[in-house]
């Protein structure tokens, strides 16, 4: 059976595009921002509220200190007592686990590699690129003005790193978390997809 493929990615590296094309070519379910809609439906809360909290650690410093960076103490609070970021993380975690139980799929970000750390058949990938290539990509897609792009990329990477570090107690940029890393400033998106197809099929033996 093909593995569940999780893809963490630097902002502007094309990791989302890699994951989307990979899922299409392997005919696998693809989970990215769709997880927000699924979480909203499951919780009965607003999709817009969850979208604003997506891949962001809780902003409550006091809550973070009390929870010990999400290392639960003796008392686990109920969902209604938690900041919206934490509600989203817990609900998405349940959805990710259930998706993986149903079979191979491709999941973008959201600490999926950590959430599925006990899953027997995962291929965990980190997609990155040099900053110049990432700036060119986001400016070309109209996501940011060129003069603001360097700071914007740095801010987005910090946001993703803080989210991952907070909820996993691991480091986002620690290569030990991943089976493969791919530099899309060296390899095109299509070549990266083919490399991952080859790797997934090698595990499917």
């Amino acid at each position: 059976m093909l593995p569940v493929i999780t893809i963490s990615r630097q902002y502007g590296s094309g990791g989302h595009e890699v994951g989307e094309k990979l899922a299409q070519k392997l005919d696998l379910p693809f989970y990215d921002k769709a997880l927000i809609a699924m979480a909203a439906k499951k919780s009965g809360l607003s999709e817009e509220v969850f979208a604003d909290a997506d891949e962001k650690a809780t902003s409550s410093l006091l809550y973070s200190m009390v929870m010990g960076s999400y290392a639960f103490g003796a008392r686990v609070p109920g969902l209604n007592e938690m900041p919206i970021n934490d509600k989203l993380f817990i609900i998405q975690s349940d959805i990710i686990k259930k998706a993986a139980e149903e079979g191979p799929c491709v999941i973008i970000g959201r600490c999926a590699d950590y959430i599925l750390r006990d899953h027997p058949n995962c291929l965990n990938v980190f997609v990155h690129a040099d900053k110049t290539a990432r700036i060119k990509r986001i400016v070309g897609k109209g996501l940011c003005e060129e003069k603001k792009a360097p700071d914007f990329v740095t801010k987005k990477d910090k946001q993703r790193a803080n989210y991952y570090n907070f909820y996993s107690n691991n480091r986002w940029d620690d290569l030990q978390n991943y089976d493969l890393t791919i530099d899309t400033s060296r390899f095109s998106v299509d070549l990266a997809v083919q490399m991952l197809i080859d790797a997934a099929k090698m595990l499917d033996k």
Side-chain angles (χ1 to χ4, degrees):
M1 178 183 291
L2 288 169
V4 173
I5 303 169
T6 72
I7 298 180
S8 298
R9 73 281 184 229
Q10 288 183 322
Y11 186 76
S13 65
H16 184 277
E17 186 180 354
V18 168
E20 193 169 28
K21 286 189 174 183
L22 179 65
Q24 289 172 353
K25 286 186 174 293
L26 291 176
D27 194 24
L28 296 179
F30 179 66
Y31 297 96
D32 59 341
K33 289 188 179 297
L35 287 166
I36 300 172
M38 295 169 73
K41 183 176 180 180
K42 184 173 181 179
S43 68
L45 296 173
S46 165
E47 186 174 335
E48 288 74 20
V49 170
F50 272 165
D52 188 55
D54 188 40
E55 290 198 288
K56 296 175 185 173
T58 180
S59 58
S60 168
L61 177 61
L62 176 61
Y63 186 82
S64 302
M65 291 169 65
V66 170
M67 298 308 293
S69 292
Y70 223 74
F72 284 120
R75 177 180 174 275
V76 178
L79 271 181
N80 290 336
E81 302 172 60
M82 293 181 177
I84 193 69
N85 310 64
D86 301 324
K87 291 179 185 179
L88 177 59
F89 177 79
I90 289 175
I91 295 170
Q92 282 189 338
S93 295
D94 288 341
I95 294 170
I96 286 170
K97 288 177 181 177
K98 288 178 181 176
E101 287 173 3
E102 291 173 1
C105 56
V106 177
I107 307 171
I108 299 293
R110 295 159 184 85
C111 292
D113 61 291
Y114 179 78
I115 291 166
L116 299 176
R117 62 193 179 278
D118 295 324
H119 192 281
N121 190 23
C122 277
L123 176 61
N124 299 318
V125 179
F126 188 77
V127 178
H128 58 103
D130 67 47
K131 196 168 184 178
T132 300
R134 293 191 286 140
I135 289 171
K136 182 179 180 180
R137 180 186 293 275
I138 67 166
V139 171
K141 288 180 175 290
L143 298 174
C144 186
E145 296 177 23
E146 188 169 2
K147 63 181 180 180
K148 296 180 180 179
D151 289 341
F152 189 64
V153 166
T154 298
K155 179 181 177 181
K156 285 289 190 177
D157 280 349
K158 284 183 178 178
Q159 178 182 303
R160 289 178 180 178
N162 289 340
Y163 173 84
Y164 186 94
N165 300 349
F166 181 79
Y167 287 112
S168 73
N169 280 326
N170 290 335
R171 285 186 58 84
W172 180 63
D173 58 359
D174 186 347
L175 299 184
Q176 295 185 74
N177 298 329
Y178 310 105
D179 303 306
L180 284 173
T181 67
I182 298 179
D183 183 348
T184 51
S185 54
R186 296 286 307 278
F187 303 100
S188 69
V189 165
D190 287 339
L191 185 52
V193 170
Q194 189 55 55
M195 291 165 69
L196 291 177
I197 289 173
D198 292 343
K201 288 183 176 178
M202 287 177 69
L203 294 175
D204 185 26
K205 291 183 179 180

